[in-house]
Amino acid sequence: MNKAVAAFLGRHNFPVHQDINSVIDALLNDMHEGLAGRKADEDMIKTFSNPPEKAVTNKSVIVIDAGGTNFRSCLVSFDETGKPSIDFMEKTKMPGIEKELSRKDFFNQFAENLEHLKDKSSNIGFCFSYPMTITEDGDGVLIGFSKEIKAPEVVGCHIGKELSKALAEHGWKNKVHISLLNDTVAALLAGAADSSSGRKYSSYVGFILGTGMNSAYIQPEDPAYKNLKKQIIVCESGKFNQLISSDFDIAYDKKSAKPGTSLMEKHCSGAYMGPLSFEVIHCAASEGLFSKDFTASLLKLENLTQIEMDSFLHAPYSKASVLGSKAAECATAEDYEKLFDLLDALVERTARLATAILAASVIKSGAGKSSSEPVCLLCDGTSFYKTYKVRSRVEGYLEEVLVKERGLYYEVVEQDNDITYGSAIGGLINC
């Protein structure tokens, strides 16, 4: 790293090389406290479910995937061999992003988005990617929104019950059974359902690093947690707050919809990577880290998206990105190096924190002790797969902290349509 950049980051309390094991230990302690019923950052939500023992066959399920910025809906059908297919897929914006909605308007928009699937199945697998308390009948009570969704009246509602009512009001004839699940549970279920690879896994983890961040794993029975049967646990990892916050993190947090909350998510998920990069660049330019002309150009920036910052990292000398275009006009060779190193430091921190979450989930599962039966880490999200070097760095760090240091084995798995297929399976678990 450029020495001037390292000094700048140090002055602003930014951990250039976050110690992964320290974060793992803090996460494990927080997970333990949550499971034990004591105060914890992560919600440690019980799902009362496990992956099905047999493949789903000859059934159709309506699937809703509502989270981040998009609202997707479709019909998933499983044939006699368990092979799934997708029909009637539609995508629109997630309600509550553009303006604040009342409870009634929020669910009315959901019902309107589902008109093309009216009465095509009596079962709905609803992937609702926000903190919920799952009830034993498969419904979910919303704990709170993340990702800047504005619908405060929905907090505390039984999501499935409210949606069922809205669908009935919109003319649905069939009485529907709605199973709520988190996107990490859907990812986990998709990994558990895929037996085509010829691999055998000792357990499963679902991990999302996209617009937001979260994880789920299978908690085995443990005498430390009375009356807790083996089941999938949703961690709500993005809410973990025991982290070092730099001046940039603090500055952006104050501007967010809910200051002081979900620091893990704000440190490294896609919804915040762009704005956080803007804070870093603006501060660096204001303190004279760059040449005079490039400083003047950067200070004209009004905002920055994750796509733009990532485009620069992938191709710094391309004029196609906002930062690349500005740099091409007046940046020196040292300016290029400094800007690259600043943005790469943010990505490096993301990779280290993601590693800690995945490693903590593997450790907590009690599995992965045999190299021939690793833990399946089904990872999803554009920030994990497309952001500059995140996946490769995460796998490298996992090899160190899990395999070399703890003798635990893992395999990162990518699957097309994982959330959709996993949600369909989830829609049938509690039927």
Side-chain angles (χ1 to χ4, degrees):
M1 178 178 287
N2 180 283
K3 292 181 180 179
V5 170
F8 167 76
L9 293 174
R11 285 198 306 275
H12 291 281
N13 201 37
F14 186 93
V16 176
H17 297 294
Q18 175 77 61
D19 181 66
I20 298 171
N21 277 315
S22 294
V23 181
I24 291 172
D25 290 342
L27 282 164
L28 287 172
N29 181 69
D30 193 66
M31 294 163 81
H32 170 71
E33 293 297 296
L35 287 175
R38 295 187 285 268
K39 184 178 180 181
D41 292 340
E42 299 165 278
D43 294 318
M44 303 305 290
I45 299 167
K46 300 175 184 177
T47 65
F48 305 100
S49 62
N50 285 291
E53 296 181 0
K54 297 181 180 179
V56 175
T57 58
N58 299 314
K59 292 191 177 182
S60 293
V61 188
I62 293 171
V63 168
I64 306 168
D65 180 4
T69 56
N70 296 316
F71 180 102
R72 298 179 180 87
S73 55
C74 65
L75 184 73
V76 173
S77 299
F78 297 91
D79 66 15
E80 63 277 2
T81 67
K83 182 179 179 181
S85 60
I86 298 173
D87 294 297
F88 309 108
M89 173 67 81
E90 287 193 5
K91 182 176 78 171
T92 186
K93 289 184 179 180
M94 177 66 188
I97 286 182
E98 296 180 342
K99 65 178 182 179
E100 183 171 315
L101 297 176
S102 67
R103 179 193 304 185
K104 185 174 180 60
D105 288 341
F106 184 81
F107 287 103
N108 275 340
Q109 283 201 21
F110 270 52
E112 289 171 8
N113 291 343
L114 295 173
E115 276 294 314
H116 66 296
L117 296 168
K118 183 180 287 186
D119 294 324
K120 292 189 181 298
S121 174
S122 296
N123 295 313
I124 298 178
F126 190 168
C127 180
F128 195 61
S129 304
Y130 303 94
M132 297 179 290
T133 298
I134 300 298
T135 58
E136 293 196 48
D137 62 356
D139 205 343
V141 180
L142 179 64
I143 295 171
F145 279 116
S146 56
K147 312 179 188 80
E148 312 297 308
I149 299 298
K150 298 174 283 293
E153 290 183 9
V154 180
V155 176
C157 289
H158 285 74
I159 302 301
K161 181 179 178 181
E162 293 292 333
L163 180 57
S164 293
K165 188 186 341 180
L167 294 178
E169 291 173 353
H170 279 72
W172 286 53
K173 296 177 181 178
N174 294 338
K175 183 179 180 180
V176 295
H177 180 274
I178 302 176
S179 296
L180 271 292
L181 66 159
N182 186 277
D183 51 359
T184 54
V185 176
L188 187 155
L189 290 173
D194 183 14
S195 60
S196 60
S197 63
R199 300 283 286 162
K200 184 178 181 181
Y201 298 108
S202 52
S203 193
Y204 301 89
V205 170
F207 178 68
I208 308 294
L209 181 58
T211 303
M213 166 187 276
N214 200 6
S215 63
Y217 74 103
I218 301 174
Q219 171 64 42
E221 288 192 22
D222 188 326
Y225 313 118
K226 294 181 180 179
N227 303 318
L228 182 62
K229 295 181 179 180
K230 178 183 177 181
Q231 63 185 281
I232 301 169
I233 298 290
V234 177
C235 301
E236 293 301 339
S237 307
K239 297 178 74 173
F240 184 71
N241 282 346
Q242 299 168 53
L243 297 166
I244 298 171
S245 287
S246 69
D247 294 343
F248 322 120
D249 298 306
I250 294 169
Y252 177 68
D253 180 56
K254 290 178 179 178
K255 300 175 184 177
S256 67
K258 296 179 180 178
T261 65
S262 302
L263 296 189
M264 178 70 88
E265 188 167 85
K266 289 175 182 174
H267 277 45
C268 49
S269 71
Y272 306 100
M273 189 76 75
L276 192 56
S277 299
F278 174 81
E279 294 290 342
V280 172
I281 292 172
H282 193 272
C283 181
S286 298
E287 293 187 9
L289 191 65
F290 304 107
S291 65
K292 183 178 178 180
D293 289 344
F294 195 40
T295 291
S297 179
L298 289 175
L299 288 175
K300 292 178 182 178
L301 276 174
E302 295 183 356
N303 54 60
L304 194 66
T305 66
Q306 181 192 25
I307 292 174
E308 289 296 344
M309 64 85 71
D310 190 46
S311 294
F312 181 81
L313 286 172
H314 279 287
Y317 295 95
S318 169
K319 297 179 183 179
S321 69
V322 170
L323 293 175
S325 177
K326 284 182 173 293
E329 292 176 359
C330 56
T332 66
E334 190 174 12
D335 286 334
Y336 271 99
E337 179 185 16
K338 289 177 178 178
L339 181 57
F340 188 95
D341 284 352
L342 284 173
L343 298 180
D344 191 49
L346 290 171
V347 174
E348 171 70 9
R349 182 176 69 169
T350 291
R352 286 171 175 264
L353 294 179
T355 299
I357 293 171
L358 285 164
S361 297
V362 171
I363 295 166
K364 198 66 180 159
S365 75
K369 297 176 182 178
S370 169
S371 58
S372 64
E373 296 183 26
V375 176
C376 172
L377 308 181
L378 200 145
C379 299
D380 183 273
T382 53
S383 295
F384 184 83
Y385 288 108
K386 294 186 178 181
T387 301
Y388 181 73
K389 289 188 177 181
V390 166
R391 178 180 180 173
S392 61
R393 289 175 177 178
V394 168
E395 292 197 80
Y397 292 139
L398 283 173
E399 194 71 19
E400 188 69 32
V401 300
L402 284 181
V403 180
K404 293 181 181 179
E405 295 181 11
R406 293 174 172 87
L408 298 176
Y409 299 89
Y410 71 93
E411 183 175 346
V412 174
V413 175
E414 182 179 8
Q415 186 183 124
D416 292 338
N417 301 308
D418 51 357
I419 304 301
T420 301
Y421 293 146
S423 297
I425 293 167
L428 297 169
I429 286 178
N430 293 304
C431 294

